[in-house]
Amino acid sequence: MHAPEVLISEDDIQKRVTELAQKISADYSDTGDLVMVGVLKGSFIFLADLSRNLSIPRTIEFIAVSSYGDSSAPSGAVRLVMDVRGNIEGKDVLIVEDIVDTGHTLKYLIGIMKSHRPASVKTAVLVRKADSAKVDVTIDYLGFDIGNEWVVGYGLDFAEQNRTLPYIGIIDPTDR
Ligand code: 5GP
């Protein structure tokens, strides 16, 4: 198996994550109750780098979802596997997600977070695929727009492989 072709370099990711962290730090400087909610597993590296670059106080929670692989379920159906552990009522929630494709997952997550009655819910997404226009969902902090290819690295996997690559790469479909 060949190494995935580089789509977004390590340097470009680090530069963009730093920029996003500066913007988030400025936007939340007066609130004081920021909770970053990482979506397992894919967001763990993005969440780590983003949170370490913030200049404001923040706490960390995780949530896990899985898509229904069942063909009888409507496309885009999402299931909650693990909810946040801490009490996020009245706090400012920032959902941290690795990738948005159709947007179904992020839309579902925003609903789950709102059911906990936080003060606010915003979203930070590392990469958005070209298909995302299908669902009306707001991304407040976006890293990069990409095409519809399958990407791996920086937390993203293909069959659990390549999550810890420092860059975002494209898998050659003939090489899977
Ligand atoms: P959506 O609900 O937006 O269609 O799908 C989002 C989910 O699909 C992501 O959380 C991720 O698990 C998966 N996904 C979509 N495209 C990719 C991709 O190119 N690479 C990886 N690793 N996961 C993807």
Side-chain angles (χ1 to χ4, degrees):
M1 189 175 190
H2 302 111
E5 176 198 337
V6 178
L7 180 67
I8 308 170
S9 72
E10 181 175 3
D11 276 2
D12 286 349
I13 295 172
Q14 293 305 330
K15 193 165 159 266
R16 187 74 187 123
V17 169
T18 306
E19 285 169 6
L20 292 178
Q22 282 167 356
K23 180 140 189 19
I24 292 166
S25 299
D27 291 354
Y28 286 91
S29 61
D30 293 333
T31 64
D33 234 345
L34 174 63
V35 187
M36 302 176 84
V37 178
V39 186
L40 292 173
K41 301 176 192 172
S43 77
F44 79 115
I45 293 178
F46 180 39
L47 176 69
D49 284 349
L50 193 61
S51 60
R52 285 183 294 186
N53 277 288
L54 293 182
S55 56
I56 53 168
R58 92 288 332 201
T59 56
I60 307 292
E61 290 284 342
F62 285 101
I63 194 166
V65 288
S66 94
S67 306
Y68 284 102
D70 181 350
S71 55
S72 65
S75 133
V78 182
R79 180 168 61 95
L80 184 67
V81 174
M82 186 188 90
D83 205 343
V84 290
R85 288 197 191 169
N87 181 6
I88 60 169
E89 188 174 340
K91 299 194 176 164
D92 293 296
V93 167
L94 180 63
I95 299 171
V96 180
E97 175 68 303
D98 51 358
I99 188 163
V100 167
D101 185 5
T102 61
H104 286 294
T105 307
L106 191 58
K107 193 167 184 152
Y108 173 80
L109 288 170
I110 291 170
I112 295 279
M113 289 299 104
K114 283 187 173 164
S115 71
H116 290 288
R117 301 196 295 164
S120 66
V121 179
K122 286 211 223 174
T123 57
V125 173
L126 184 66
V127 284
R128 173 170 62 187
K129 288 177 108 163
D131 260 357
S132 67
K134 278 186 190 162
V135 173
D136 178 24
V137 62
T138 303
I139 299 175
D140 299 285
Y141 305 97
L142 175 65
F144 303 92
D145 271 310
I146 62 167
N148 282 324
E149 56 274 293
W150 192 268
V151 287
V152 295
Y154 202 69
L156 291 154
D157 74 313
F158 176 71
E160 294 303 324
Q161 299 302 307
N162 287 314
R163 278 198 202 278
T164 56
L165 282 178
Y167 62 92
I168 291 178
I170 302 173
I171 288 273
D172 176 356
T174 60
D175 202 28
R176 285 178 186 174

